[in-house]
Amino acid sequence: MTQPREHAVVIGGSLMGLLSARILVDHFSRVTLIERDRFAETLESRPGLGQARHLHVLWSRGLEIAEQLFPGLEDELRAADVPEVRVPADMLWLTSAGWRRRFASTRLLTFSRDLLDWTVRARLAKIQNLRVLAGHEVTGLLADAGAVTGVEVRERGTTGSGEPLTADLVVDATGRSSKTPAWLERLGYPAVRQTLIDPLLGYASRTYAIPSGFDPGWKALYLQADPPHGTRTGALFPQEGGRWIVSLFGVGEDYPPNDGDGFLEFAKSLRSPVLYEAIRDAEPLTSIVSYRRTANLRRHYERMPAWPRRFLVAGDALCAFNPLYGQGMTVAAKSALTLDACLRADGDLDRLARRFHRKVIKNATGPWLVATGEDLRYDTTRGAAAGVRTRILNRYVDRVQSLANVDPRVCDRFIDVLALTAPPQSLFLPEVLWRAATARPRPPTGPDDLVP
């Protein structure tokens, strides 16, 4: 049954919110995007995106989807001096199983999160049937006869319940801080079941000017921890403007310091000195910023016995991952395509939420297994413990990881899983299983021994 699609509301200007708005303008006469922050006219960070000043990764699948939704986006980013990094050909990558040879497997555009959001918002600003209501916040849902009919919205900084804004569909894309659980309880729905797996990870980041004439033969560094005993990870990637973003990570409350000397000492303590040696004499361009909201959090809306019609939850508001693994933005892009497919497949908005939540959680299942499987290697992780099945899977993944360090075909399969172009189950295909069981390769001995 086809129903009127006059007005849709998206709550939250996250990347999930921006991509949702882009999808909805193709299906509704009007779309309103509501964001608590006031968007600046120039490229700069905003308070509501506290993670923006840290390292972000949009894997190849996410970049393909972004280009599909905004044709020419990659050209715009490249024109803004965004570098390309071939993974792992342009990297020194120290995995938990040792150094990875520098095969050409996939690529990344390594931009700042602020630049990506600003570029996408500029594209959205040209769409006639989209209104952006910045500096406003949603205080609750409007509902009638088991369906959400809109939201209450007020200017941020004011008091009161807000003014009603009616809509045929409402999407919550407000991220980890989503108020949907409270809004649903206010409407009489039961509390949502949640799964929280917290590795107690924190990270600190700083940008540096790339030293003039610096050319060691690599563009990026990724020095992973060696769990369960090694807790520290470091990453260095180029960004637009001739700079590096350096992020240091520590699990189990082994948090990197936010003072200059402590930051360098933490970098020096990583499993290889190469990152420390790169930045010790480099010019810092920013202060050090920290972030610790890193738990894996899944809200099981798809399992709720009752759900208000015409109301969707997407992105980190539904399922958030430990940011260390760089999966969130690509999952958001895949979820936007799922929203589009659901709207195209059936005109019944009353049945949309159930179909969307069941399908979109499949986008998160693989990344969830990757993130939580790695985090459960640590005894300090809260919320769950590694069972027999997880320990067996981790031992197999260790074997595949070791083989991926030296075998280009297995490396391709492994990176396909990280890049979300293939599910984790693809690591159990016969070719990988056979090679993992029979191969006895010679591992690289150090960063000077990584060329295939």
Side-chain angles (χ1 to χ4, degrees), residues 8-24:
V9 166
V10 178
I11 312 170
S14 63
L15 185 63
M16 184 73 249
L18 300 177
L19 296 178
S20 297
R22 169 61 189 86
I23 293 297
L24 292 172

Side-chain angles (χ1 to χ4, degrees), residues 25-45:
V25 295
D26 290 342
H27 297 274
F28 289 80
S29 300
R30 296 180 295 118
V31 176
T32 301
L33 174 66
I34 303 171
E35 166 54 44
R36 297 178 75 246
D37 285 343
R38 298 188 184 277
F39 292 133
E41 296 296 325
T42 57
L43 177 59
E44 60 184 60
S45 297

Side-chain angles (χ1 to χ4, degrees), residues 177-191:
S177 60
S178 168
K179 293 183 172 58
T180 285
W183 292 340
L184 292 179
E185 290 192 51
R186 195 183 306 167
L187 294 177
Y189 290 89

Side-chain angles (χ1 to χ4, degrees), residues 52-336:
R53 289 178 289 175
H54 301 275
L55 174 65
H56 282 74
V57 173
L58 183 62
W59 286 100
S60 52
R61 180 57 182 145
L63 185 59
E64 289 170 3
I65 295 171
E67 181 70 18
Q68 178 181 336
L69 297 179
F70 301 98
L73 179 66
E74 180 172 341
D75 289 341
E76 287 188 49
L77 293 171
R78 296 299 293 269
D81 195 32
V82 167
E84 177 182 283
V85 175
R86 297 173 300 154
V87 178
D90 292 331
M91 296 175 60
L92 298 187
W93 187 347
L94 180 59
T95 74
S96 58
W99 292 100
R100 175 153 295 162
R101 292 199 184 278
R102 295 169 62 179
F103 311 112
S105 185
T106 189
R107 69 188 183 98
L108 301 172
L109 295 185
T110 54
F111 38 72
S112 67
R113 177 63 185 273
D114 290 331
L115 176 63
L116 176 65
D117 280 24
W118 187 80
T119 305
V120 170
R121 290 202 308 267
R123 284 294 198 94
L124 291 174
K126 299 176 183 178
I127 299 177
Q128 295 298 314
N129 61 329
L130 173 64
R131 177 176 68 139
V132 176
L133 196 57
H136 287 71
E137 58 188 357
V138 171
T139 59
L141 302 173
L142 303 174
D144 181 53
V148 168
T149 58
V151 297
E152 294 175 335
V153 61
R154 70 186 178 195
E155 187 173 0
R156 186 177 180 184
T158 62
T159 59
S161 59
E163 297 296 322
L165 180 65
T166 60
D168 300 301
L169 181 69
V170 175
V171 179
D172 175 11
T174 53
R176 292 174 179 266
S177 60
S178 168
K179 293 183 172 58
T180 285
W183 292 340
L184 292 179
E185 290 192 51
R186 195 183 306 167
L187 294 177
Y189 290 89
V192 60
R193 177 188 165 196
Q194 299 187 142
T195 299
L196 181 74
I197 299 178
D198 188 355
L200 303 176
L201 175 138
Y203 55 103
S205 299
R206 190 175 212 176
T207 59
Y208 292 83
I210 300 177
S212 177
F214 185 86
D215 185 15
W218 50 260
K219 292 183 180 179
L221 302 172
Y222 187 30
L223 309 178
Q224 291 180 244
D226 183 16
H229 307 296
T231 59
R232 297 183 172 187
T233 293
L236 176 155
F237 278 78
Q239 289 184 339
E240 70 276 4
R243 57 185 177 172
W244 285 325
I245 175 72
V246 176
S247 291
L248 305 178
F249 307 81
V251 171
E253 298 184 316
D254 181 20
Y255 301 136
N258 58 8
D259 66 279
D261 290 340
F263 190 84
L264 285 175
E265 283 301 312
F266 194 97
K268 192 176 184 179
S269 73
L270 298 174
R271 291 169 59 213
S272 167
V274 63
L275 191 152
Y276 165 74
E277 290 168 354
I279 66 172
R280 64 183 171 187
D281 296 320
E283 177 192 357
L285 298 177
T286 64
S287 59
I288 299 166
V289 291
S290 299
Y291 191 81
R292 296 179 184 176
R293 296 188 66 189
T294 59
N296 302 282
L297 173 63
R298 179 172 171 180
R299 297 181 172 111
H300 297 274
Y301 293 126
E302 79 284 359
R303 299 182 184 176
M304 290 187 68
W307 184 262
R309 302 187 303 278
R310 302 184 178 222
F311 178 57
L312 312 180
V313 184
D316 283 0
L318 179 72
C319 188
F321 314 97
N322 179 348
L324 176 62
Y325 308 108
Q327 302 172 113
M329 293 198 299
T330 300
V331 172
K334 294 182 69 173
S335 298

Side-chain angles (χ1 to χ4, degrees), residues 354-372:
R354 288 295 191 191
R355 289 185 290 112
F356 174 75
H357 289 151
R358 282 196 300 266
K359 289 180 179 295
V360 81
I361 201 63
K362 293 180 180 179
N363 296 332
T365 298
W368 178 267
L369 290 174
V370 169
T372 59

